[in-house]
């Protein structure tokens, strides 16, 4: 809104959807303490709760009774003075308190993510930690929660800071060698020390980047395609795993024409199940397009469940598939390497889920990954490229090697948001809810 500034005192409901047992209204800014005094006539000692009645500052009408907490800046979540009002969680109560706050000079409603943005601006959170907080809010599975918690608590930030300090040390050695270039033994020794540091850091960066795909997979979720010939029970299995009739089940071959997606949690991982068209030769133009899409999505998936009621082996493209022999309630042997399944009786469902969980653990691991977003990965890849150049032959021009190190430092700074991240911040904070 026009006229808004970073010096305004902002306020918003920071707890969940109303009605609720308790509602928390948060204020941040230079007038936060003044506003608390205006409503309650008291300001509790820092970080101590005080029970008080809240009144409209203009009319004196009592609005509610609740707890007040005061966190003076910079020792607060945002780095500014922060007040929390713990109210009864009724819609009318909260609306009345918000109206009263809006009537005070210098106060305005907060925008989406504005509390967190102020925390970032005041050095309370770096960009990687903010991204971790966004992922924590969006986390739907235990694996996503653990990974987001690690990022929000500064795991990546601390590692990047350590790498940066190492590069600064290497840069200082190189510049010392440049200053003493007339003393060949000194210049050669410091250059060797610098290269040793750079080489070690490059290996650490390479290891982190090799693990980045795992982090992005946990954050975005595992894609599992259910593939097989027509009438193998693909849609029936999807419905069993989803716990609802998500797909149409019919004895008529070719019922599934397009790829159907269902999102759920299996074994603590976010999983997107793809129900695909039955794979067969067909002259039906629409079904043929469905088969083409099924093959494309299955080949791009993280894992494939190959279903066959006859125990047919999967195509070579799906050699690593989890193989399932369906309709075992109708008799027939289960081939070696297959899981026996009946979607009618439920026999084998737990074995299928366990196989998906084992594949998920192999792809995603148990421990949180260091790098979890494409933006982080691209910045670290940029740093690694500059370090690789820094380790090359510069024909005796050590100032060129030093410049490559400076560029690597800049790339690391971008990872945690020290430079050139305003456009990233705008996009990121737009995904936050108001009050966070």
């Amino acid at each position: 809104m026009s006229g808004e500034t970073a010096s305004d005192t902002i306020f918003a409901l920071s707890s969940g959807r109303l009605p609720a047992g308790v509602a928390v209204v948060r204020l941040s800014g230079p007038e936060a303490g003044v506003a608390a005094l205006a409503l309650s006539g008291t300001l509790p000692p820092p970080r101590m709760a005080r029970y008080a009645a809240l009144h409209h500052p203009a009319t004196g009408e009592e609005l509610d009774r609740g707890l007040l907490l005061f966190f003076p800046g910079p020792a607060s979540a945002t780095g500014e003075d922060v007040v929390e009002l713990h109210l009864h969680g009724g819609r009318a109560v909260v609306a009345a308190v918000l109206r009263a706050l809006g009537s005070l000079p210098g106060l305005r409603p907060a925008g989406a993510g504005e509390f967190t943005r102020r925390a970032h601006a005041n050095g309370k959170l770096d960009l990687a930690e903010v991204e971790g907080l966004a992922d924590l809010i969006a986390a739907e599975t235990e694996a996503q929660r653990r990974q987001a918690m690690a990022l929000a608590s500064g795991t990546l930030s601390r590692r990047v800071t350590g790498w940066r300090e190492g590069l600064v040390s290497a840069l200082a050695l190189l510049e010392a060698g440049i200053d003493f270039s007339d003393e060949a033994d000194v210049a050669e020794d410091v250059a060797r020390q610098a290269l040793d540091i750079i080489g070690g850091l490059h290996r650490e960066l390479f290891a982190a980047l090799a693990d980045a795909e795992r982090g992005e997979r946990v954050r975005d979720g595992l894609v599992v395609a259910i593939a097989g010939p027509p009438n193998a029970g693909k849609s029936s299995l999807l419905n069993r795993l989803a716990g609802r009739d998500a797909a149409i089940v019919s004895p008529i071959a070719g019922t599934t024409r397009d790829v159907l997606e269902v999102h759920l949690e299996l074994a603590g991982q976010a999983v997107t199940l793809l129900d695909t068209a039955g794979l067969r030769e067909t002259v039906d133009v629409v079904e043929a397009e469905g088969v083409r899409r099924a093959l494309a999505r299955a080949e791009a998936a993280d894992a494939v469940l190959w279903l066959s009621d006859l125990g047919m082996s999967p195509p070579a493209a799906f050699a690593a598939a989890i193989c399932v022999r369906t309709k075992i309630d109708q008799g027939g042997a289960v081939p070696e390497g297959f899981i026996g399944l009946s979607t009618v009786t439920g026999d084998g469902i737990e074995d299928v889920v366990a196989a998906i969980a084992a594949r998920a653990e192999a792809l995603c691991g148990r421990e949180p990954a260091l790098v979890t977003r494409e933006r982080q990965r691209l910045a670290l890849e940029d740093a690694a490229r500059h370090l690789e150049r820094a380790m090359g032959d510069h024909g005796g021009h050590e100032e060129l090697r030093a410049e490559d190190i400076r560029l690597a430092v800049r790339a690391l700074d971008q990872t945690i948001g020290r430079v050139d991240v305003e456009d990233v911040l705008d996009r990121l904070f737009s995904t936050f809810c108001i009050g966070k």
Side-chain angles (χ1 to χ4, degrees):
M1 281 183 289
S2 176
E4 293 182 0
T5 69
S7 62
D8 293 339
T9 295
I10 56 175
F11 63 88
L13 174 67
S14 292
S15 52
R17 181 180 300 176
L18 303 175
V22 175
V24 178
V25 171
R26 181 190 290 177
L27 298 83
S28 179
E31 299 298 316
V34 174
L37 280 169
L39 265 67
S40 68
T42 184
L43 192 63
R47 289 168 289 279
M48 292 184 64
R50 175 170 291 173
Y51 182 72
L54 303 180
H55 297 83
H56 194 288
T59 66
E61 177 190 2
E62 184 171 326
L63 306 175
D64 193 24
R65 291 174 179 265
L67 297 179
L68 276 73
L69 291 98
F70 176 52
F71 305 91
S76 71
T78 64
E80 305 174 328
D81 286 353
V82 171
V83 166
E84 288 186 358
L85 308 175
H86 293 235
L87 313 170
H88 292 97
R91 292 189 179 92
V93 172
V94 172
V97 171
L98 294 179
R99 284 195 300 270
L101 290 172
S103 71
L104 295 172
L107 272 69
R108 64 171 173 82
E114 195 167 2
F115 287 95
T116 307
R117 186 156 196 159
R118 291 192 176 194
H120 172 72
N122 292 323
K124 294 295 180 177
L125 297 170
D126 63 36
L127 180 56
E129 291 168 333
V130 170
E131 287 174 327
L133 184 57
D135 290 346
L136 191 60
I137 294 169
E140 296 180 340
T141 69
E142 178 63 12
Q144 290 174 334
R145 182 199 65 79
R146 292 176 65 242
Q147 181 168 280
M149 194 69 225
L151 185 62
S153 62
T155 301
L156 176 60
S157 303
R158 288 189 293 273
R159 186 71 66 87
V160 168
T161 299
W163 290 335
R164 187 184 192 279
E165 290 173 353
L167 289 183
V168 170
S169 297
L171 186 59
L173 287 168
L174 278 179
E175 290 177 341
I178 294 170
D179 291 341
F180 292 97
S181 58
D182 54 335
E183 300 183 30
D185 56 338
V186 174
E188 183 178 341
D189 183 58
V190 295
R192 179 185 55 77
Q193 293 179 49
L195 283 171
D196 287 344
I197 294 173
I198 296 169
L201 294 175
H202 183 265
R203 287 190 293 273
E204 289 187 31
L205 270 174
F206 188 80
L209 287 168
D211 199 37
E213 184 178 354
R214 180 171 67 89
E216 292 180 48
R217 184 180 284 120
V218 170
R219 180 176 176 270
D220 297 334
L222 201 71
V223 178
V224 178
I226 305 175
N231 276 352
K234 298 183 293 298
S235 297
S236 296
L237 176 59
L238 180 83
N239 290 343
R240 268 280 186 173
L241 294 175
R244 58 187 175 89
D245 291 335
I248 297 174
V249 177
S250 168
I252 302 172
T255 301
T256 302
R257 299 296 183 93
D258 207 344
V259 178
L260 178 65
E261 298 186 6
V262 172
H263 304 278
L264 66 159
E265 179 180 353
L266 287 178
Q269 296 284 355
V271 174
T272 298
L273 288 176
L274 307 180
D275 181 20
T276 63
L279 303 182
R280 67 172 179 175
E281 296 292 333
T282 178
V283 295
D284 185 298
V285 175
V286 177
E287 187 182 355
E289 175 61 17
V291 170
R292 186 195 68 78
R293 294 185 184 188
L295 284 168
R297 294 297 298 273
E299 289 172 356
D302 297 307
V304 174
L305 281 174
W306 172 259
L307 271 58
S308 171
D309 58 337
L310 301 176
M312 295 169 48
S313 297
F318 307 146
I322 300 168
C323 296
V324 181
R325 196 275 188 182
T326 57
K327 303 182 182 179
I328 59 171
D329 55 291
Q330 299 178 12
V334 178
E336 184 178 354
F338 276 66
I339 299 170
L341 172 69
S342 169
T343 56
V344 175
T345 65
D347 290 342
I349 287 289
E350 291 184 0
D351 295 331
V352 171
V353 172
I356 296 173
R359 186 63 56 87
E361 183 174 319
L363 293 171
C364 301
R366 292 185 177 181
E367 296 302 316
L370 187 67
V371 180
T372 65
R373 286 182 173 235
E374 181 185 28
R375 185 201 65 79
Q376 300 162 5
R377 174 173 54 79
L378 293 176
L380 292 181
E381 285 176 352
D382 193 26
R385 280 193 297 270
H386 289 302
L387 287 188
E388 194 167 345
R389 287 178 52 186
M391 292 186 296
D393 183 10
H394 289 72
H397 298 289
E398 293 303 305
E399 63 275 11
L400 297 179
R401 195 189 310 277
E403 179 60 19
D404 283 328
I405 295 176
R406 276 189 284 270
L407 291 172
V409 170
R410 182 178 177 84
L412 291 179
D413 285 344
Q414 289 177 322
T415 307
I416 55 177
R418 291 187 177 183
V419 293
D420 298 343
V421 293
E422 280 305 310
D423 57 335
V424 176
L425 290 172
D426 289 340
R427 290 195 301 272
L428 179 60
F429 288 121
S430 68
T431 67
F432 275 67
C433 57
I434 292 175
K436 190 61 180 177

